[in-house]
Amino acid sequence: MKATLRNREDVERVFRDGRRTRRGRVTVLALESGDRGVRHCIIVSGGVGGAVRRNRFKRVLREELRRVAGELGGTDVVILCRGDASSGSADAARREARMLLEGLRRKK
């Protein structure tokens, strides 16, 4: 699963037209896109911490998306992680993202 949403217009389209679900500090937006497979964009705010911490969160969230990507088909997914540096660990964000992504899989 290497396809990322790199085009600003594609990300904005997901924000504008996609389904939005939120749990804790993780928000998942999804929009069906046809036969292109799963494309993703992961955004972790600076409030989570420094660069090392933000990149850890991105790796964790990317792995959770990878687990369910085969069952999502042609979907564009944006995962947002917000919060302050004291609001929990990457494992807490992993659990929140897992629940949201499994919910997406069931709706498919």
Side-chain angles (χ1 to χ4, degrees), residues 1-6 37-40 62 65-66 69:
M1 185 192 77
K2 297 233 183 213
T4 58
L5 287 170
R6 296 187 186 274
V38 176
R39 297 187 309 163
H40 71 281
R62 193 176 305 116
L65 180 59
R66 191 175 292 126

Side-chain angles (χ1 to χ4, degrees), residues 34-47:
D35 291 338
R36 288 188 279 207
V38 176
R39 297 187 309 163
H40 71 281
C41 176
I42 297 175
I43 303 167
V44 178
S45 77

Side-chain angles (χ1 to χ4, degrees), residues 13-61:
R13 185 174 39 81
V14 174
F15 270 95
R16 185 181 60 244
D17 301 330
R19 283 190 321 247
R20 182 183 302 249
T21 56
R22 182 174 183 191
R23 182 175 184 94
R25 64 181 160 180
V26 177
T27 303
V28 174
L29 296 95
L31 181 65
E32 291 187 27
S33 63
D35 291 338
R36 288 188 279 207
V38 176
R39 297 187 309 163
H40 71 281
C41 176
I42 297 175
I43 303 167
V44 178
S45 77
V48 169
V52 172
R53 187 171 167 99
R54 286 194 313 271
N55 287 330
R56 168 134 175 84
F57 274 67
K58 288 178 190 179
R59 284 192 306 272
V60 164
L61 295 172

